[in-house]
Amino acid sequence: MPDPYLPDAPPRPEYPRPQFTRDAWLNLNGEWQFETDRSDSGLERGLTDRELTGRILVPFCPESELSGIAETDFLEAVWYRRTVTVPAEWADARVLLHFGAVDHDTTVWAGGQEVARHRGGFTPFTADLGDVAVPGEELTLVVRARDSRHTVQARGKQATWYANSHCHYTRTTGIWQTVWLEPVPRAVALRRPRITPDLATGSFLVELPLSANVAGHRVRATLSDADGTVVTVEGRADLDLCPRLVLNVPENRRRTWSPADPHLYDLALELLGPDGEVVDTARSYAGLRSVSVRGKELLLNGERVFQRLVLDQGYYPDGLMTAPTDAALLRDIELGIAAGFNGARLHQKVFEERYLYHADRLGYLVWGEFGDWGCETGVRDDNQRPDASFITQWLEALERDHSHPSIVGWCPLNETYQNLHDRITVLDDVTRGMFLATKQADPTRPVVDASGYAHRVPETDVYDSHCYEQDPVAFAKIMAGLAEDRPYVNTGPEGRSWSVPYRGQPYFCSEFGGIWWDPETVAAAGDDTSDSWGYGERPRTEEEFVDRFRGLTGVLLGDPGMFGYCYTQLTDVFQERNGVYRFDRSEKADTAQLRAAQLRPAAYEETT
């Protein structure tokens, strides 16, 4: 393995959960034993009880180059094994084993005992090791991840046949986000908080779930800024499994979060024992902002902010769905801002939480999304079909990401196929279930039931469409109907509607552009044998690409009925060559010109 990844310097060493941090933790990234189990017979063959034959660098998936394996064939199941020494100073604690994400169906053993199962490749889960983890002693961890292409699952853009093609990309199997150990108090401990801003009253609602209730305990939350403590509030912790504290910010200390001023307050959380001693503590942060709907407008802090979003799929040449470094996550946001975007649709996967942390810090507007592209009921050779696990995993994503101020909307589904005349309605059930789950878990943000194609929930907060027309004049005609409450709506075969009628919601074109700009192929005398692809005819020069970009974005910037748009896409991804930047993040066109194209005066006042 590369020298930088020695045990004292594991890959991705940063704390993976930046909105709920504790000082004591042990990063388990680094070298693990590894073995491929192509027939998923490892349990019968005793892989839980013996050494494995290979090595892998966690948290990178075995398909990636950074893992040290780079096996891109189908992997029915994979196994991991590692022995760790539980720190002796954790003697009085209960030890938790956290996984950021494992694709797809995971079983975990510790000390020979099964301690966790989890289904879903995008969301975190935790194993409480109970009495299995003995401080000061070694503990053997074994992980099996099954990822059959025949198992119904949400997989996003992962290919279900061998090779990459069109917008299907190399698969991810097994561990692909950070693994770590964490000690918590045995009797009662803090769980992940939910922080909800209330701009109207200048306050934060801080909900503090607990592992149990113990007589005499209290919770305390302290909000602070650069000038020191803003407010401290205490409450009882023995009457409710989720004590709620309201932190009122004095008017002279109120400062809203926005792209123009992404101000964050620090938040200290404490669990106090009967004598006032600190039993458990964690750090977090919060942004004071609101998202609201007024007619067709989507407002931030009560003001119009045109959302110039870019589609970001979060793939990397060497790490696939895992960023090679934390700096790479930050860099993607900086690249979007440099090109004139003020936010992103995080497309077809649940991004690493540290991406959201950087978006919070930089004031980058984000729509959180699930990975389920093209979900439908009628295609039997496609395993991305709706089932209850979609809702379960989406709820886990909502719980993880609720408190991030950069998230201004939720998008549980994308480009679903369901005609009004279909007799199979399970997709309708799952669509409505995911919409209702989102509104129950977070009523403070707008929800689009499905981005593009099949809008199935009449009360969806946002209506949208996807349109890849490449001629700006024709594109303008397609989008012109919004002025008369007849917006462009995606339709299915024979022009049949996929959607319930539009009823005046805020509307945006949430995918457009996708210009097939592949300068290397153009330089090779227009070689049409290239396996690259994008939308429309390839521009012949950079100037032609910039002109088309300017024309398409200009159609939507000048539309007073739009609250924003989302341009496809930030970077090329493998053979898909329609990014603003190349796959390696190098500049593909003059970024300054793209930024200038988007910062032209729109039909209303810009605040950013």
Side-chain angles (χ1 to χ4, degrees):
M1 294 298 173
D3 288 342
Y5 298 150
L6 294 173
D8 59 346
R12 301 303 306 273
E14 58 282 344
Y15 193 84
R17 193 182 57 195
Q19 258 199 328
F20 184 41
T21 67
R22 287 189 169 99
D23 291 331
W25 70 296
L26 180 62
N27 191 325
L28 298 185
N29 292 343
E31 187 178 278
W32 289 55
Q33 295 180 26
F34 178 82
E35 191 165 324
T36 298
D37 181 9
R38 294 198 180 278
S39 299
D40 191 14
S41 59
L43 190 61
E44 292 85 349
R45 293 186 289 110
L47 292 192
T48 55
D49 303 317
R50 68 162 173 81
E51 302 290 304
L52 304 180
T53 57
R55 297 291 184 271
I56 191 171
L57 191 66
V58 169
F60 304 111
C61 71
E63 292 90 346
S64 71
E65 295 177 5
L66 289 176
S67 71
I69 296 178
E71 172 57 82
T72 59
D73 203 349
F74 293 103
L75 301 174
E76 193 78 7
V78 294
W79 290 75
Y80 300 79
R81 183 183 183 93
R82 175 169 177 172
T83 298
V84 300
T85 300
V86 180
E89 56 268 29
W90 296 0
D92 297 326
R94 180 178 294 275
V95 179
L96 304 180
L97 172 61
H98 299 290
F99 293 85
V102 185
D103 196 338
H104 160 74
D105 186 337
T106 310
T107 307
V108 182
W109 294 265
Q113 298 183 31
E114 183 181 313
V115 293
R117 292 187 185 186
H118 182 262
R119 186 164 179 256
F122 294 113
T123 47
F125 64 97
T126 297
D128 186 333
L129 299 185
D131 296 328
V132 177
V134 179
E137 297 185 7
E138 287 190 341
L139 178 67
T140 298
L141 305 174
V142 176
V143 178
R144 178 189 64 183
R146 297 188 289 187
D147 194 23
S148 172
R149 58 175 159 165
H150 306 296
T151 299
V152 172
Q153 60 175 278
R155 55 176 169 75
K157 294 288 191 74
Q158 299 180 60
T160 52
W161 49 86
Y162 174 73
N164 291 0
S165 64
H166 297 89
C167 50
H168 299 87
Y169 317 131
T170 304
R171 291 164 293 280
T172 289
T173 300
I175 297 170
W176 67 278
Q177 290 188 31
T178 293
V179 184
W180 80 102
L181 289 177
E182 178 181 49
V184 299
R186 284 187 174 273
V188 56
L190 296 168
R191 288 179 171 165
R192 185 178 189 117
R194 286 169 52 93
I195 305 162
T196 307
D198 185 350
L199 185 59
T201 61
S203 64
F204 293 98
L205 172 63
V206 180
E207 299 171 272
L208 291 170
L210 304 173
S211 62
N213 295 122
V214 179
H217 281 57
R218 298 180 66 80
V219 288
R220 180 166 63 200
T222 300
L223 196 75
S224 60
D225 60 17
D227 294 326
T229 298
V230 175
V231 60
T232 298
V233 178
E234 283 191 26
R236 294 181 65 173
D238 58 345
L239 295 178
D240 196 315
L241 272 175
C242 186
R244 298 165 182 83
L245 303 178
V246 177
L247 280 64
N248 291 299
V249 182
E251 289 193 20
N252 65 338
R253 303 288 286 275
R254 292 179 190 173
R255 187 171 162 188
T256 56
W257 181 98
S258 72
D261 181 21
H263 177 260
L264 298 173
Y265 294 92
D266 292 322
L267 184 60
L269 307 171
E270 297 171 296
L271 177 63
L272 310 175
D275 298 326
E277 73 277 15
V278 177
V279 175
D280 192 12
T281 184
R283 296 185 304 277
S284 188
Y285 62 85
L288 187 60
R289 65 102 182 90
S290 70
V291 183
S292 57
V293 172
R294 186 175 64 199
K296 294 181 181 178
E297 298 174 336
L298 203 59
L299 305 179
L300 182 71
N301 302 330
E303 299 178 349
R304 295 175 173 179
V305 176
F306 192 84
Q307 296 187 22
R308 303 183 306 275
L309 308 178
V310 65
L311 201 74
D312 188 348
Q313 306 204 73
Y315 273 78
Y316 301 86
D318 49 3
L320 301 181
M321 289 203 300
T322 310
T325 64
D326 190 59
L329 294 172
L330 173 61
R331 179 62 175 155
D332 281 359
I333 297 173
E334 293 174 335
L335 288 173
I337 294 172
F341 300 102
N342 61 6
R345 271 185 69 198
L346 304 185
H347 194 50
Q348 286 309 294
K349 72 174 198 179
V350 177
F351 275 51
E352 299 176 55
E353 193 179 355
R354 288 195 64 87
Y355 179 102
L356 298 177
Y357 164 67
H358 293 306
D360 294 340
R361 294 190 305 107
L362 296 183
Y364 202 56
L365 304 175
V366 164
W367 283 73
E369 188 171 319
F370 191 49
D372 49 36
W373 173 64
C375 178
E376 57 184 316
T377 56
V379 180
R380 294 305 172 188
D381 61 351
D382 189 337
N383 68 341
Q384 192 150 256
R385 299 195 300 274
D387 73 356
S389 69
F390 280 40
I391 302 175
T392 303
Q393 195 176 174
W394 180 237
L395 281 168
E396 292 173 337
L398 294 169
E399 179 184 16
R400 193 197 77 173
D401 295 340
H402 172 91
S403 303
H404 287 283
S406 58
I407 297 179
V408 294
W410 296 114
C411 177
L413 292 164
N414 177 78
E415 290 191 355
T416 54
Y417 298 80
Q418 178 88 341
N419 287 318
L420 290 174
H421 304 284
D422 282 354
R423 295 181 179 180
I424 302 174
T425 59
V426 63
L427 181 54
D428 275 4
D429 294 341
V430 170
T431 302
R432 184 160 188 81
M434 294 182 81
F435 176 83
L436 292 175
T438 310
K439 299 302 287 187
Q440 287 289 321
D442 181 13
T444 70
R445 292 179 175 95
V447 182
V448 55
D449 58 343
S451 182
Y453 295 18
H455 292 292
R456 307 297 300 161
V457 179
E459 61 269 37
T460 183
D461 297 314
V462 170
Y463 211 93
D464 71 348
S465 67
H466 298 171
C467 181
Y468 286 105
E469 170 59 52
Q470 295 294 297
D471 179 2
V473 175
F475 186 54
K477 292 179 180 178
I478 290 171
M479 290 293 146
L482 181 60
E484 300 177 359
D485 279 344
R486 294 183 294 99
Y488 174 70
V489 177
N490 297 115
T491 56
E494 301 176 358
R496 288 182 177 180
S497 174
W498 270 315
S499 299
V500 296
Y502 175 69
R503 59 173 184 82
Q505 300 102 316
Y507 177 94
F508 73 137
C509 185
S510 59
E511 286 187 30
F512 77 106
I515 302 169
W516 185 7
W517 174 227
D518 191 356
E520 284 72 28
T521 300
V522 170
D527 178 14
D528 287 329
T529 65
S530 168
D531 63 356
S532 79
W533 78 279
Y535 294 95
E537 183 180 346
R538 281 177 295 194
R540 291 163 294 182
T541 65
E542 179 179 331
E543 181 181 12
E544 185 179 331
F545 166 73
V546 172
D547 284 346
R548 192 186 304 179
F549 180 93
R550 184 184 296 112
L552 293 173
T553 55
V555 167
L556 303 181
L557 281 170
D559 191 333
M562 294 270 183
F563 72 83
Y565 58 62
C566 182
Y567 180 85
T568 301
Q569 62 179 318
L570 181 65
T571 73
D572 295 342
V573 184
F574 293 107
Q575 69 282 348
E576 190 173 356
R577 306 289 171 80
N578 54 13
V580 172
Y581 298 93
R582 293 183 179 88
F583 199 14
D584 65 4
R585 275 58 177 175
S586 61
E587 190 175 74
K588 196 160 65 165
D590 186 349
T591 303
Q593 291 193 60
L594 304 183
R595 180 177 178 83
Q598 295 195 79
L599 295 184
R600 290 174 294 163
Y604 52 78
E605 191 70 23
E606 268 278 350
T607 60
T608 61

